[in-house]
Amino acid sequence: MKTEMDFEDLMDEAYGLPNGTAKLGMLEEAARVADVNGMEEEAYEARSEIVETATFCGYPMKALIAFSWQLGKFDQEPERYDEETLMWSYKWILGELSSFPEVSRDKMMELLEDFGRRFKSFGYSERSYWYYRFRISMDLGDLEEAGTSYTKFRSMDRDFMSDCEACEQDEIMRYWLLAGDDEKVLEAAKPILKGRMSCAEIPHLTLSEILMPLYRLGKIDEADKHQAKGYRMIKGHNDFVQSFAEQMDYLARTNPAKGIDVLEESIVLAMDHEDPFAKMMFYARAAQLLRRWADESPGYRLRLPASFPYEGDSGDLRILADYFAAYAKAAADKYDQRNGNQHVSSMLSEV
Amino acid sequence: MTASNEYRFQVNLSGMIQILSNHLYSSPKVFLRELMQNATDAITARTEAEPGFQGEVRVELTGTGEQLTMMVEDNGIGLTEADIHEFLAMIGQSSKRGQQALLDGETSFIGRFGIGLLSCFMVSHEIVMLTQSAKGGPSMEWRGKPDGTYTIRQLETQLSPGTKVYLRCTPDAAHYFETEYVKEALFYYGALLPYPVILHSDGVQHIVNSESPIWLMEPGLARGRRAEVLAFGERLLGEKFQDFIPLTTASGRTGGIAFVLPHAVNLNAKRSHRVYLKRMLISEKAENILPDWAFFVKCLIWTDELQPTASREHFYENEKLEEVRSELGDALRKGLADMAERQTERLQKLIRLHALSMKALAVQDQEFYAMIHRWLPFESTRGHRELGELMSEGETLYFTTTVDEYRQIHHVASAQSMLVINGGYIYDSDLMAMLPQVVQHVQTQRLQPDEVSMSFTDVPPAERNQYYDALRLADSALQRFRCRAEVKGFKPADLPVLFTLSQESSTLRALEKASEESTELFSSVLGSLSSGISSAGYSTLYLNISNPIIQRVLTTPDAQMTPIAIEMLYVNALMMGHYAMNRQELEVLNQGIVRFIDWGLRANTDRKGDA
């Protein structure tokens, strides 16, 4: 029976797996084996992989824990480890940080400064610092500050530690989305939609983000096209829980039956998601969609995963919708409290 | 802009050739493929102009040593002087139809004549081409050198239509000119060509590709010609296969044979499907033409609808490719479905070899899962079994989601005769969770380690009362590890304690460990996160009342001994469960061992003193 494997075997097997919980489990097991046997460099290596895998399959907390460990080790013996990979991971961590309402505003700013200081000390462009300041300000609902950082980061040189153009462009698009300027959103999305910018996550994310702006501008045909293509790209990947939410938001208005398919196919991914923000958005949009679907198709029984912690009758869609809505609202309250504004709850105003 | 402002880039051809050979092509050997592609394009063009025309490619090897020469001749459309200027003087110009048609992938031609010919400079310092256009005009000779200079002249004699290319091999390319090598390579690239490829060498003539088999173009026919298909697969792919599935797409413009690999394959194994474009081998390692889950087959695929990349060794990742890939995936799935219905033994054999692939597919496709679930193997407390067998017990199928959890509980669970499946391997817990949706009357349930305790025997309150003092001592000893003690009876009796960890307490343990190592700033961030985790984050150390040592620990509480014994049992349980220990725990272990040695020795000395 294969219960105890050595470090190399575990890493080999993990490297061969697609991103997902199985790979993450393998890597955690490898880190554990390395820890138990006092193999520090191996433990560091395994954690590098954990950070990356966890970041891209819905486990930001695991990523943060592994990264914290790595950073401590790095500071103790900086000559032993490679700083580029570590600093690149730092960006992922900053990108996810705001999803945890327990982390205060002040702490986030402190981390941002720590990040900026480190980037500067390695001689990297300050663009990354301002870009992440831009992103975090958006997360915190501070659009004015985001605007300032936006101007700042765009004026600085990109270097090999900068996020790729496609990712930056997607964030710029998000800025206009938050600012409520749909025309500007479309303009910012153009280079991505035309295929001139792309990466591992773009246009995947973009194709869902663009749906509501297009809907509001009455461009339904174009939106439908992006919806179908976007869903095909993200289906089954739990890195995209928030995109499923955006899809449901749009489909609730245009094609609830298809929306229900999205809900049933992705709820198991949302349920286990460790990013409370993405999960909140999913639950909020699920609530909206269910209310709409209850009008259209009374008596429909939603297919929930066996392990879904809901005791009620899945045939009473309104009550189920309340359940989702209550979850989302409770989460939004926590963010509002942390952020000191109504930024997050206002995104859920229709729920 | 006026004409006087216009300049042209001065391209250094020898530099270009360097770039081509070092970066574009994977190996010099592709020159032969490029020549064959040019020949095929020329024949295609002539066939379009003269329906029914029978093409042919001849390759001749002559001379030895520095005189070793290869000649590749086709009887295709040939080039006029204007064509030569167009295709060879302007490298990058596509053949016959202009650039746009090529980009659209809708041309009947594979190659880009000029660039293809340049690849020959990787093996020869001079290229001589004699050509006669089928449209008439004089026969032409073109001689090119790697420095980019070339000469063109009219020949006095009139050749028959077609093109001959002569290459004289460079010393380090000699092995690409050996008869056996050339013969193999020609078969390799041209096995599917619909006209003969003939090799002349040492006065002997071989037809390299005997007639291309009809079932390749109509894969449906392959079913009836099993032996022939398997033999062909072995010759071309170099492996002895036992099974295959024919592939076709709705348009009929892509098809082929998926040979089932006769050995197990790792998930990260390189896919190496062999793909023919317009019947010419274009790639032997096309990774993106089948869905990811299809790593249990090696395919021969032909297509005339995909667009090759510049090196012509892969295909552009575009919507067309996505469509083809999903249709080929469907064909493969359908082949398996047919087996499930009609030839279960054949499928069983296949699953035994390629369980991982089958599981990957089942996770994505419930219908498929329903069809094959019976034969998928899982590790369980009843051993390595097929799911069908496990289900036939009619019990609830409990499953863990990690190997770790499984290890924590499988001894106890099997002693309680619970049926638990190790869901820690890739896809397994997903499949378990999905099972009730796919198959009727099956119960599956995720088992958390602390739930095993449900099947423990409770110790009656009156009895528990006797252990009150010992338990208090135990709890206070374990307090600092955020753990508490509980007395239960469980099997196996020789297991003194069992340590279980809920999801939350596991996360907390990880948080703390990272906190110990991290920077001050990050430790404080982790601190605020752990405050957000519910207080349910206590782990439990179950003391097994059926175990004699535990009996003794519980019945003779001692303010000095009991806490140390409990701590030692705790760290021992951590070791048994292969948990990484934090500093505090390691210290307990070290001190405990030293103390016990000390006690042991002292007791021994005392006894001797008594004697």
Side-chain angles (χ1 to χ4, degrees):
Chain A
M1 194 161 48
K2 202 166 49 166
T3 47
E4 187 71 314
M5 292 162 79
D6 73 13
F7 179 81
E8 294 300 331
D9 292 343
L10 285 161
M11 291 300 282
D12 274 355
E13 190 155 339
Y15 281 128
L17 295 175
N19 271 355
T21 46
K23 177 171 183 179
L24 200 51
M26 242 5 130
L27 292 169
E28 286 182 317
E29 177 86 357
R32 195 186 55 75
V33 169
D35 284 345
V36 168
N37 295 299
M39 299 148 67
E40 285 214 336
E41 279 177 28
E42 287 81 356
Y44 188 94
E45 179 194 346
R47 283 184 173 85
S48 286
E49 294 300 319
I50 289 175
V51 172
E52 175 159 4
T53 308
T55 300
F56 294 103
C57 67
Y59 292 90
M61 174 100 85
K62 286 183 193 294
L64 177 61
I65 292 172
F67 178 77
S68 302
W69 185 97
Q70 275 192 294
L71 192 67
K73 286 283 168 208
F74 178 83
D75 279 1
Q76 285 162 26
E77 293 178 274
E79 64 289 342
R80 199 166 163 191
Y81 304 104
D82 168 49
E83 98 271 354
E84 265 174 45
T85 328
L86 187 70
M87 288 301 112
W88 192 272
S89 304
Y90 207 153
K91 300 198 303 173
W92 292 331
I93 300 300
L94 280 187
E96 291 283 359
L97 207 59
S98 59
S99 303
F100 297 108
E102 294 85 5
V103 180
S104 69
R105 242 186 128 95
D106 290 348
K107 271 290 168 257
M108 287 173 62
M109 289 306 154
E110 271 182 65
L111 281 172
L112 191 62
E113 293 313 315
D114 181 63
F115 169 81
R117 185 181 57 72
R118 286 174 188 271
F119 260 53
K120 212 183 260 177
S121 79
F122 291 120
Y124 305 156
S125 165
E126 276 188 73
R127 185 183 174 99
S128 297
Y129 166 80
W130 286 102
Y131 170 67
Y132 274 90
R133 195 175 175 98
F134 166 60
R135 287 182 53 172
I136 288 178
S137 305
M138 285 197 282
D139 294 343
L140 292 172
D142 192 344
L143 280 196
E144 203 176 313
E145 174 56 43
T148 313
S149 306
Y150 171 58
T151 319
K152 211 69 199 210
F153 102 78
R154 298 259 283 174
S155 71
M156 294 180 153
D157 285 346
R158 81 180 17 264
D159 66 358
F160 63 99
M161 291 301 281
S162 306
D163 271 17
C164 79
E165 266 185 289
C167 288
E168 286 186 356
Q169 192 68 21
D170 189 67
E171 290 292 326
I172 292 170
M173 199 185 94
R174 179 161 76 101
Y175 174 71
W176 295 116
L177 200 60
L178 292 175
D181 190 336
D182 288 332
E183 297 283 356
K184 280 259 172 70
V185 171
L186 290 200
E187 201 185 304
K190 211 175 260 170
I192 297 176
L193 297 180
K194 288 204 155 159
R196 279 201 281 118
M197 294 179 181
S198 67
C199 68
E201 292 188 301
I202 308 292
H204 312 50
L205 295 168
T206 319
L207 290 171
S208 300
E209 287 162 332
I210 197 79
L211 298 178
M212 285 306 291
L214 285 171
Y215 173 79
R216 286 190 291 261
L217 295 170
K219 303 184 172 181
I220 305 296
D221 285 351
E222 198 185 337
D224 281 342
K225 220 175 66 197
H226 294 322
Q227 187 277 325
K229 184 173 178 199
Y231 188 57
R232 201 170 56 205
M233 293 177 97
I234 59 178
K235 188 180 167 186
H237 294 282
N238 67 351
D239 196 15
F240 298 105
V241 164
Q242 209 172 318
S243 305
F244 297 131
E246 285 152 0
Q247 295 252 333
M248 289 192 288
D249 196 8
Y250 172 74
L251 291 171
R253 293 154 218 266
T254 56
N255 189 350
K258 205 184 252 177
I260 290 293
D261 287 343
V262 173
L263 174 57
E264 287 185 346
E265 281 164 7
S266 52
I267 184 161
V268 68
L269 303 176
M271 195 180 83
D272 279 339
H273 212 64
E274 207 183 45
D275 176 344
F277 189 82
K279 187 168 171 176
M280 169 190 76
M281 293 307 282
F282 186 95
Y283 278 38
R285 302 306 175 211
Q288 259 170 275
L289 172 69
L290 283 173
R291 291 197 178 126
R292 184 61 209 279
W293 185 238
D295 295 338
E296 223 168 88
S297 180
Y300 183 83
R301 293 175 60 88
L302 191 74
R303 221 178 65 204
L304 291 169
S307 45
F308 192 76
Y310 173 72
E311 304 292 327
D313 172 13
S314 60
D316 192 335
L317 297 186
R318 275 174 228 281
I319 297 188
L320 189 57
D322 290 344
Y323 170 87
F324 281 111
Y327 179 97
K329 281 192 175 136
D333 284 345
K334 284 197 206 166
Y335 288 113
D336 284 352
Q337 213 166 352
R338 191 264 314 267
N339 298 348
N341 55 32
Q342 254 71 60
H343 169 63
V344 173
S345 53
S346 71
M347 290 195 242
L348 311 185
S349 55
E350 289 178 50
V351 176
Chain B
M1 191 195 279
T2 58
S4 61
N5 286 340
E6 228 175 75
Y7 299 97
R8 202 169 268 289
F9 286 112
Q10 295 295 309
V11 176
N12 174 342
L13 192 59
S14 63
M16 280 268 299
I17 289 165
Q18 273 294 319
I19 292 174
L20 284 182
S21 46
N22 291 333
H23 301 287
L24 182 62
Y25 297 117
S26 57
S27 140
K29 72 176 186 197
V30 301
F31 79 94
L32 206 50
R33 182 194 69 193
E34 297 293 320
L35 289 177
M36 298 270 286
Q37 279 179 353
N38 284 343
T40 302
D41 283 346
I43 290 170
T44 306
R46 189 162 179 196
T47 316
E48 280 176 8
E50 304 168 31
F53 173 75
Q54 180 55 49
E56 182 181 300
V57 173
R58 287 166 17 95
V59 178
E60 208 173 285
L61 293 168
T62 50
T64 54
E66 287 180 12
Q67 303 298 312
L68 186 51
T69 302
M70 180 185 301
M71 188 272 294
V72 177
E73 177 185 18
D74 66 68
N75 59 356
I77 192 119
L79 301 172
T80 61
E81 182 169 356
D83 292 338
I84 295 181
H85 285 293
E86 187 184 346
F87 299 138
L88 293 179
M90 299 169 78
I91 295 302
Q93 196 75 278
S94 74
S95 63
K96 326 293 196 278
R97 283 278 168 90
Q99 201 73 5
Q100 198 49 45
L102 240 162
L103 288 177
D104 294 343
E106 282 300 331
T107 160
S108 19
F109 306 109
I110 312 161
R112 296 184 189 192
F113 189 89
I115 288 194
L117 202 58
L118 283 188
S119 71
C120 296
F121 284 125
M122 294 191 286
V123 297
S124 173
H125 287 326
E126 190 184 40
I127 301 172
V128 178
M129 181 177 78
L130 306 182
T131 184
Q132 168 63 51
S133 172
K135 294 171 204 151
S139 296
M140 303 298 300
E141 178 200 81
W142 175 91
R143 279 175 184 270
K145 294 220 169 73
D147 62 6
T149 57
Y150 64 88
T151 55
I152 295 182
R153 69 181 177 99
Q154 288 190 12
L155 295 179
E156 317 226 313
T157 49
Q158 187 91 10
L159 304 171
S160 53
T163 302
K164 296 179 183 187
V165 174
Y166 293 87
L167 306 175
R168 182 166 298 167
C169 88
T170 59
D172 41 351
H175 74 277
Y176 297 121
F177 285 60
E178 282 167 16
T179 305
E180 274 315 299
Y181 173 82
V182 174
K183 196 162 121 193
E184 273 310 296
L186 288 175
F187 176 70
Y188 191 67
Y189 292 127
L192 267 55
L193 287 176
Y195 46 76
V197 176
I198 299 156
L199 175 65
H200 293 265
S201 171
D202 306 325
V204 190
Q205 169 170 324
H206 321 266
I207 297 183
V208 170
N209 61 334
S210 45
E211 206 161 291
S212 122
I214 177 155
W215 47 262
L216 256 172
M217 293 302 136
E218 291 172 58
L221 300 175
R223 287 192 188 87
R225 309 190 185 196
R226 227 182 124 68
E228 190 190 325
V229 175
L230 290 174
F232 191 80
E234 187 181 353
R235 170 146 188 232
L236 208 53
L237 301 174
E239 267 189 278
K240 215 171 171 59
F241 302 104
Q242 285 164 7
D243 208 344
F244 63 85
I245 296 168
L247 304 174
T248 33
T249 59
S251 69
R253 294 182 61 186
T254 303
I257 305 284
F259 292 95
V260 176
L261 286 168
H263 50 81
V265 202
N266 199 306
L267 253 182
N268 61 356
K270 280 263 170 257
R271 323 319 192 224
S272 52
H273 306 303
R274 194 161 299 180
V275 183
Y276 293 78
L277 181 64
K278 322 271 179 205
R279 298 190 172 206
M280 257 298 299
L281 178 70
I282 188 148
S283 173
E284 49 192 299
K285 43 179 190 271
E287 291 169 17
N288 55 3
I289 194 154
L290 281 176
D292 283 346
W293 51 261
F295 53 87
F296 64 103
V297 289
K298 191 166 189 171
C299 303
L300 274 183
I301 292 170
W302 50 264
T303 180
D304 63 5
E305 57 186 332
L306 296 177
Q307 188 196 348
T309 58
S311 72
R312 268 152 291 158
E313 290 170 18
H314 297 277
F315 293 102
Y316 277 115
E317 190 65 52
N318 57 17
E319 273 172 42
K320 187 81 219 166
L321 177 58
E322 206 180 308
E323 198 182 295
V324 166
R325 178 164 50 222
S326 104
E327 279 195 50
L328 290 178
D330 288 344
L332 205 49
R333 191 188 342 251
K334 192 171 169 308
L336 294 172
D338 288 346
M339 275 191 222
E341 224 165 86
R342 285 190 277 277
Q343 298 166 287
T344 50
E345 262 176 53
R346 205 174 133 209
L347 181 64
Q348 242 174 311
K349 210 162 126 194
L350 196 153
I351 292 177
R352 250 175 245 140
L353 264 178
H354 300 291
L356 212 49
S357 214
M358 298 299 118
K359 283 181 177 177
L361 177 52
V363 164
Q364 291 175 18
D365 183 338
Q366 300 201 345
E367 247 172 80
F368 180 74
Y369 186 25
M371 224 153 52
I372 63 148
H373 70 276
R374 268 163 288 175
W375 301 294
L376 291 177
F378 289 87
E379 180 186 333
S380 77
T381 44
R382 310 271 153 87
H384 244 99
R385 298 285 193 84
E386 285 181 0
L387 186 53
E389 286 178 78
L390 293 171
M391 282 166 41
S392 70
E393 317 270 341
E395 298 168 45
T396 298
L397 303 176
Y398 292 97
F399 65 98
T400 66
T401 54
T402 67
V403 178
D404 239 19
E405 287 174 359
Y406 184 75
R407 193 183 23 230
Q408 278 188 52
I409 57 178
H410 89 273
H411 287 301
V412 181
S414 50
Q416 325 268 354
S417 62
M418 281 171 101
L419 176 46
V420 185
I421 288 162
N422 183 354
Y425 298 119
I426 186 161
Y427 308 127
D428 285 1
S429 60
D430 292 340
L431 289 172
M432 279 299 127
M434 281 165 62
L435 190 62
Q437 294 170 27
V438 174
V439 184
Q440 288 190 320
H441 313 300
V442 190
Q443 288 275 342
T444 68
Q445 195 180 323
R446 176 172 170 190
L447 188 65
Q448 308 263 13
D450 48 355
E451 286 171 287
V452 185
S453 61
M454 292 184 308
S455 52
F456 291 177
T457 349
D458 283 327
V459 178
E463 196 181 326
R464 222 161 44 219
N465 209 23
Q466 298 168 33
Y467 311 137
Y468 182 80
D469 291 332
L471 278 175
R472 269 192 57 119
L473 288 169
D475 274 339
S476 54
L478 294 174
Q479 171 80 35
R480 60 183 169 134
F481 306 115
R482 215 183 288 100
C483 178
R484 63 202 163 82
E486 232 178 87
V487 188
K488 293 274 177 178
F490 52 86
K491 292 178 198 162
D494 55 5
L495 192 69
V497 290
L498 182 76
F499 177 74
T500 67
L501 202 55
S502 63
Q503 195 63 50
E504 286 89 2
S505 42
S506 161
T507 305
L508 271 178
R509 270 191 82 83
L511 268 171
E512 276 166 8
K513 176 137 179 86
S515 230
E516 269 180 7
E517 304 289 346
S518 194
T519 64
E520 211 175 301
L521 181 54
F522 269 90
S523 295
S524 83
V525 170
L526 294 178
S528 33
L529 282 178
S530 62
S531 70
I533 295 175
S534 73
S535 55
Y538 260 70
S539 55
T540 309
L541 186 71
Y542 292 100
L543 309 179
N544 187 0
I545 195 64
S546 324
N547 178 280
I549 293 183
I550 294 299
Q551 276 280 353
R552 217 180 305 160
V553 170
L554 289 174
T555 47
T556 54
D558 174 288
Q560 202 198 349
M561 288 289 287
T562 308
I564 297 170
I566 291 289
E567 281 180 348
M568 289 303 281
L569 286 166
Y570 170 76
V571 288
N572 181 251
L574 290 184
M575 283 201 300
M576 298 276 289
H578 299 269
Y579 292 97
M581 288 189 256
N582 61 33
R583 283 185 204 143
Q584 234 182 5
E585 289 156 355
L586 281 172
E587 212 166 295
V588 165
L589 179 63
N590 293 336
Q591 286 183 355
I593 289 175
V594 173
R595 254 191 230 158
F596 278 113
I597 292 175
D598 183 39
W599 280 334
L601 290 176
R602 207 179 308 162
N604 210 8
T605 329
D606 288 353
R607 257 203 311 282
K608 275 187 190 148
D610 291 347

